[in-house]
Each structure stands twice: as C-alpha cells, then as structure tokens.
C-alpha cells in the first residue's frame, strides 16, 4: 500500500499517481478520510482513551507546481500560504514543515466543513501527503506537517482526528499511546445527522477546560467517558450493535454534562431514538456539528425523522467496505 494515498481497511481512496490536470502535471494525489468519534470526545484531550472510525467519504488533494495557492471549491475557499485566514495560516504551517513553497494544491471535498466530521484533519492529511509525494518527502514528515496545520486550526488538538483521517479504519486512540486499529466483527451501518450549525472545536475544548478548572468534580465525568471505551471495544469485536448503541446513549448524557451538547444536537438524538435507533449521540467537539445513530433496519426512518425536523443526514458504514448511502 502506498502510504501517501492514505488508504486502509478496504475503504476507497484514489491512487497516489501523477497525471495531467489542465496545463499542469499533477505531481502527487492523496486522500484524507472523514471521521466520527464513537466514544471519548473531549476526554481524549486529558489522556483518556477514545474510539474513532474513518469514513469512506473525505477529501482528495492534488499537488502541482505553483506558488503556494490552495483552492477548495466545495467550501468556497481560495487562499495563499501564510495569508491572514485560518486556512491560509494552516497551509503555510504545513508547507513550512515540509520545507516546500513551490506548489499549488487543489482539493475536491465530499465532506461538509465544520460539521464535526473531521474535515480539517482530512484536509490536512490529504494536502500534506499530496505535497510530500510531489516533493519526495516521507510519510512521517507528511504526518508532522498535517499536525502543524491541525494545531493552527484547533490549538490543543488531541490527535485522534488526524489518526482516523490517515487510517480510515476503526481505532483506539490515546495521546500517550497513539492509534491502534481495532478488530471489528462486522461492518455496521451508521446514520450521520447534520445540525447545520457550525461548530468551533477550539472554543469547545477551551470551554471544557474552564469547566474542569472551576468544577474539579468534572474530572469524574471525563474519566467516565474514558471508561466506556473498553466495553465499546468489546461490542465492536463481537458485533453487538445494541450494546454499542446503549453506550452511545450513556456517552451523550456525559457529554451533555460537560455542556457541549446543544438544543439541536439533543433534538436530533431524541428524534433518532424515536425513529428506532438503538443509540445516538453527538460526535466531535459539540456545540453544533453532527450526531451519529445506530439504527439497524431503521436507517431510512431516522433520516426521514431528521428531515421532517429540518435536519439533513446521510447513511454510511463503519468497520468495513460497504456500499452507501442506503
């Protein structure tokens, strides 16, 4: 497997090859997976374990000879490395880590931005690997460059988004231990709902930090989130979708206790359960963004319930190669 392509677990990604786009030769192409956090968001910042799953959908980056320009038409983004925009500063940090300046990068994005699905990490790993391939840098350096971009985007980033974006698999992550891919008995269908309200990871992480400082008992909530990881690992290993769903419900309650849920997120979680989901929770930083729900046999019901409430959603799969949406 070519590491620059960012593929794993049978999830599709474009090959890292050279080709022609318009008048310029594409020197490197790479893919970054979207992700959902299954269990452990926010707790992972405090060295608790967490579980994440890469998605088949993500972003594709192509690097050409150029002058440091990044374009993402789907997100209406055009920046120059090092300009004053957050994306421009992140792109500048990424290129500086790779010691490259003479490239342009064009990105095709199938992920919505700022929706809690790891769009910035998918972008960072795809761009870093494409540029690394184009200029002969190794994958370790590419990952470090992607991490530099994530630091610009989010400040204190745990690293779990970047690990999932690079892998595309289901894995366990702990800051002190890194990423470990997990055995999964069977692929699982997953409903993903979008609140339509952008979330700000940096702000949510900072809010939890302040809450923890002012209310030390919050540490027990963070540790309780970490304690859900082991039973969730077991549920994945034996294919216990109902058991994993119950853990989703518990996790959402704990995240609400950390004040990172929102009226929209709560409404979507309750709607999913009412439509037949065995469990649902917010995923990612919270405050907006996305909800995930396990609803075997009721995926269309969940999506219809969300749509009737004014929320968009889609079905995908985790833990294996599936043909989605449903």
């Amino acid at each position: 497997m070519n590491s620059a392509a960012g593929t794993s677990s049978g999830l599709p990604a474009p090959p890292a090859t050279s080709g022609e786009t318009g008048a310029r030769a594409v020197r490197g192409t790479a893919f970054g997976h979207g992700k959902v956090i299954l269990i452990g968001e926010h707790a992972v910042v405090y060295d608790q374990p967490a579980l994440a799953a890469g998605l088949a959908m993500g972003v594709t980056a192509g690097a050409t000879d150029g002058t440091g320009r990044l374009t993402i038409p789907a997100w209406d983004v055009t920046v120059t490395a090092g300009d004053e925009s957050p994306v421009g500063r992140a792109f500048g940090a990424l290129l500086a880590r790779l010691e490259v300046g003479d490239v342009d990068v064009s990105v095709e994005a199938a992920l919505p931005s700022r929706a809690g699905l790891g769009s910035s990490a998918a972008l960072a790993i795809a761009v870093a690997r494409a540029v690394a391939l184009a200029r002969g840098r190794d994958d370790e350096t590419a990952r470090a460059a992607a991490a530099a971009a994530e630091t610009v985007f989010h400040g204190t980033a745990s690293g779990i988004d970047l690990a999932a974006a690079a892998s595309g698999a289901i894995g366990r992550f702990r800051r002190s231990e890194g990423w470990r891919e997990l055995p999964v008995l069977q692929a699982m269908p997953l409903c993903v709902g979008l609140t339509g309200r952008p979330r700000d990871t940096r702000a949510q992480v900072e809010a939890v930090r302040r809450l923890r400082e002012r209310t030390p008992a919050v540490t027990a909530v963070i540790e309780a989130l970490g304690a859900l990881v082991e039973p969730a690992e077991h549920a994945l290993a034996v294919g216990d979708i109902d058991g994993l769903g119950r853990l989703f419900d518990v996790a959402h309650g704990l995240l609400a206790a950390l004040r990172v849920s929102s009226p929209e997120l709560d409404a979507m979680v309750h709607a999913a359960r009412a439509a037949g989901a065995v469990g649902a929770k917010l995923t990612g930083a919270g405050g907006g963004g996305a909800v995930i729900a396990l609803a075997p046999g009721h995926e269309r019901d969940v999506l219809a319930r969300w749509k009737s409430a004014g929320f968009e959603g889609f079905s995908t799969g985790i833990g294996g190669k599936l043909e989605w949406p449903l």
Side-chain angles (χ1 to χ4, degrees):
M1 181 185 300
N2 190 323
S3 61
T7 63
S8 64
S9 295
L11 295 175
T17 58
S18 294
E20 291 290 336
T21 299
R24 294 184 180 181
V26 177
R27 305 298 184 183
T29 302
F31 184 78
H33 295 272
K35 73 89 184 67
V36 291
I37 295 182
L38 302 177
I39 297 287
E41 48 269 274
H42 287 288
V44 72
V45 174
Y46 301 96
D47 202 32
Q48 292 294 318
L51 301 182
L55 301 176
M57 62 192 303
V59 304
T60 302
T64 64
D65 298 336
T67 58
R69 185 180 178 90
L70 173 68
T71 58
I72 315 169
W75 299 344
D76 195 26
V77 169
T78 299
V79 300
T80 300
D83 68 22
E84 292 304 310
S85 69
V87 177
R89 289 188 289 110
F91 186 42
L94 183 154
L95 292 184
R97 183 64 181 80
L98 289 169
E99 299 182 345
V100 170
D102 59 344
V103 295
D104 288 345
V105 180
S106 179
V107 173
E108 296 180 6
L111 282 175
S113 63
R114 300 185 66 195
L117 302 180
S119 58
S120 68
L123 173 68
I125 198 68
V127 171
R129 281 176 161 171
V131 174
L133 185 64
R135 292 295 182 259
R137 307 298 192 263
D138 60 29
D139 195 57
E140 182 178 353
T141 304
R143 285 175 177 257
E150 278 286 88
T151 298
V152 173
F153 282 128
H154 301 307
T156 306
S158 69
I160 189 171
D161 283 18
L162 204 58
S167 165
I170 292 180
R172 172 187 171 119
F173 181 87
R174 194 168 195 163
R175 295 185 89 166
S176 59
E177 300 170 359
W179 174 268
R180 174 169 58 86
E181 190 170 325
L182 295 178
V184 178
L185 180 66
Q186 62 182 6
M188 296 182 182
L190 190 74
C191 295
V192 181
L194 307 175
T195 65
R197 176 181 173 187
R199 61 94 189 95
D200 185 332
T201 297
R202 184 193 291 264
Q204 293 300 314
V205 169
E206 178 63 18
V208 172
R209 184 192 66 77
R210 291 196 302 269
L211 179 63
R212 180 172 175 264
E213 288 179 350
R214 295 169 180 171
T215 312
V218 163
T219 298
V221 178
I222 291 170
E223 291 172 350
L225 278 164
L228 298 179
V229 167
E230 186 172 346
E233 280 190 55
H234 177 73
L236 288 165
V238 301
D240 183 3
I241 297 179
D242 287 351
L244 185 60
R246 289 191 294 272
L247 293 169
F248 275 18
D249 288 345
V250 174
H252 185 76
L254 292 171
L255 290 164
L258 293 179
R259 297 183 175 181
V260 297
S261 191
S262 70
E264 298 92 342
L265 291 167
D266 288 340
M268 294 189 76
V269 165
H270 292 306
R273 293 172 185 163
V278 297
K281 62 180 287 291
L282 70 86
T283 185
V291 163
I292 54 175
L294 286 167
H298 294 280
E299 291 85 4
R300 289 185 178 88
D301 297 330
V302 169
L303 296 180
R305 186 67 67 97
W306 284 342
K307 191 170 186 63
S308 69
F311 301 111
E312 296 298 321
F314 60 91
S315 294
T316 186
I318 58 171
K321 187 174 182 179
L322 294 175
E323 296 298 329
W324 301 98
L326 292 175

